[in-house]
Amino acid sequence: MPITQPIDFNAMVNKPTTLGGYGITDASQLSIGQTWQNVTASRALGTNYTNTTGKPILVAVRGVSPAGSTAGVNLVVSGISLPYSSAISSNPTITVAVVPNGETYSCNANGCTLGAWAELR
């Protein structure tokens, strides 16, 4: 039966104290106490990494394609290849993803080189 009256949060017994169970638990921690880190020097394309920070992180990778070619990068999180980002000519291509705590992530390139890799952690 659908709820027809507004719910009075103050009158609820056993109120939720976190966002757990509502599908956005991890999002409640993203960016709190975190800063952007340039991790380019410690990252390589095609290498698996694991988020062990205790919080979700945001990963942003920029690939650079050679002049006159179509190339791009894509992130793989927990074995799932995310939508591919590509660019034509020497324009950079950027892809971004949230990586939940404890999950693996990597970045693959198709015809381009790693320009920069940053993580909000």
Side-chain angles (χ1 to χ4, degrees):
M1 173 175 256
I3 297 173
T4 58
Q5 299 283 332
I7 296 174
D8 181 358
F9 186 79
N10 294 322
M12 288 177 66
V13 178
N14 300 323
K15 297 176 190 174
T17 57
T18 68
L19 295 175
Y22 296 93
I24 52 175
T25 304
D26 286 344
S28 68
Q29 299 175 33
L30 189 60
S31 82
I32 297 175
Q34 296 174 313
T35 58
W36 279 104
Q37 308 290 314
N38 181 347
V39 296
T40 308
S42 63
R43 296 292 187 257
L45 295 170
T47 302
N48 285 323
Y49 300 97
T50 302
N51 175 9
T52 59
T53 65
K55 293 182 174 184
I57 62 173
L58 188 63
V59 175
V61 179
R62 178 175 52 114
V64 179
S65 59
S69 70
T70 301
V73 293
N74 79 294
L75 286 167
V76 178
V77 177
S78 304
I80 305 296
S81 182
L82 302 178
Y84 190 77
S85 177
S86 63
I88 298 175
S89 224
S90 58
N91 297 319
T93 176
I94 299 170
T95 188
V96 178
V98 173
V99 180
N101 181 54
E103 299 298 322
T104 60
Y105 60 104
S106 64
C107 183
N108 298 314
N110 179 20
C112 66
T113 58
L114 178 60
W117 189 315
E119 298 178 4
L120 180 65
R121 48 177 41 252

